[in-house]
Amino acid sequence: MKRIAIIGGGIAGLSAAYYLEKARRAGANLQWVLFEKSGRLGGVIQTERRDGFVIEAGPDSFLSIKPDASRLCQELGLGDQLISSNDASRKTYILVKGSLVPIPHGLEFMVPTRVWPMATTPLFSFPTKLRMAAELFSSARKDAGDESVGDFVRRHFGQEMVDRVAEPLLAGVYGGNAERLSIRAVLPRFAEMERQHGSLVRATLKAKALARPGAKPQPLFTSLKNGMQQMVEALTAALPPASIRLRQANLALRPVNDDWQIDSAGTSEKFQEVLLAAPAPAAAGLLRQFHPGLIEGLTRIEYTSTAAVALAYDQAELPAGHGFLVPRSENRKIMACTFVHKKFSYRAPDNKKLLRCFFSSSRMPDLLTHSDETLQQIARKELKDILGLTAEPAFARTFRWNRAMAQYETGHLDRVAEMEKIIAAMPGFHIVGNSFHGIGVPDCIKSARLAV
Ligand SMILES: Cc1cc2nc3c(=O)[nH]c(=O)nc-3n(C[C@H](O)[C@H](O)[C@H](O)COP(=O)(O)OP(=O)(O)OC[C@H]3O[C@@H](n4cnc5c(N)ncnc54)[C@H](O)[C@@H]3O)c2cc1C
């Protein structure tokens, strides 16, 4: 019988356990054990339910176009719990010189697709608007190498599009820096559009023209009625408790002949396969004693820390829409704020409001040294300055994640290819989760499914 160890009980490790258990129940001759360092499962997925509010500590949803997460929820019997983002009321603001300016209709991520809203928006200056029109005549870049998202967007639309759109949007997803993130790893669709069509505007318009007429548009984001933790709860319920070991803080992993030996809490066990589902810094720590090339690659993957401050209000005057993003050039501590009760239904009792403010170590290097109270005060001061919001919250919660957001910097995919070559020569060894091929929840589930 093949014995398989999973190290890490976030969504990647739990999904791996689920797919292995499914195979076992279908007759595969295997046994698996999941080792989790902390006392709980789910990793950064964690939901608090309080006074009728559903408060996400980490991810609040997943991209609907990536099918792995919805598919897994369906399999887990959560189909009737899936909810869509309220896209009809979607309006996101960008803070420009202290004022909130809505992202104009027809700006698809950073690609303008409609003339009138672009011509009239105060988000861009006249030279940027001319540049958008000229982009239609761009030709593909000769050099096929990687570059930063900042360089890529600047070549197409100029610096203002980097500062006011690409940078804050990416900061909202990665908590990182557009000047360092890799276009090929982070926005592969755009790199491919350029390769095929030269102009991103032409490519987007062509894709729209080819879209099936009358097809119902997919919601942008999908979540669960009672929060993302429902996935964790359903996965846990589908797994035999005896195969899950919590509080495994001091694991040691090493290859012994053709097996992998795991020492933990005074016991030593052999496995034929290991799925390492811990973030790259933790994975590098576990591999400390062997494969220096792999460790070097893993330690080169930067991770930023984030904090989310949730503020629940009985009453608060807010602009219409789902929230705002703050460009780095505004020199503020807050990176983004979501009006949670607007983005999704079932998040707050009737007429009450729930805001989530995001902070990242990429903008506040000392982020995690601040107490919860200090972070809440900073969040409230930022909301007062930006929204004029002075109401006293009914309660506030702060969630902090130490080095949890992988940053795929320029050259990431080449470094991953090198690491995958090393891993191919390590029989029975796999890395899953957010270090290599996508940090989104569906990406992590997919990495586990493929490894299994
Ligand atoms: C604040 C925040 C908001 C996000 N928002 C979204 C979003 O809206 N949508 C989206 O799709 N994605 C979002 N993401 C990204 C996504 O949630 C994560 O990339 C994904 O959940 C990571 O899952 P994982 O299992 O790979 O890692 P984690 O969730 O980090 O789990 C790793 C697990 O490994 C354990 N571990 C670590 N070291 C060891 C060890 N030595 N031994 C044993 N166990 C160990 C940890 O305790 C942890 O439980 C967000 C991330 C954060 C932090």
Side-chain angles (χ1 to χ4, degrees), residues 354-384:
L354 180 61
L355 304 192
R356 228 169 44 127
C357 303
F358 294 92
F359 300 90
S360 165
S361 59
S362 73
R363 297 227 185 134
M364 279 177 77
D366 61 350
L367 177 66
L368 296 189
T369 64
H370 296 292
S371 68
D372 288 3
E373 291 68 30
T374 306
L375 288 174
Q376 286 161 19
Q377 279 162 13
I378 294 172
R380 290 191 58 197
K381 161 95 173 57
E382 297 282 57
L383 294 179
K384 180 169 175 248

Side-chain angles (χ1 to χ4, degrees), residues 7-14 35-38 40-45 57-63 172-173 221 228 248-249 251 277-279 282-283 286 306-308 343 356 358 401 404-406 432-435 438-444:
I7 302 180
I11 191 66
L14 281 173
F35 297 89
E36 163 56 43
K37 185 171 91 172
S38 72
R40 59 172 284 278
L41 296 169
V44 301
I45 298 184
D60 69 350
S61 57
F62 44 82
L63 275 176
V173 178
F221 301 106
M228 293 289 283
Q248 303 289 313
L251 284 193
L286 280 164
T306 55
K343 185 174 173 186
R356 228 169 44 127
F358 294 92
W401 300 110
M405 284 283 207
V432 300
N434 66 16
S435 9
I439 71 161
V441 169
D443 303 310
C444 295

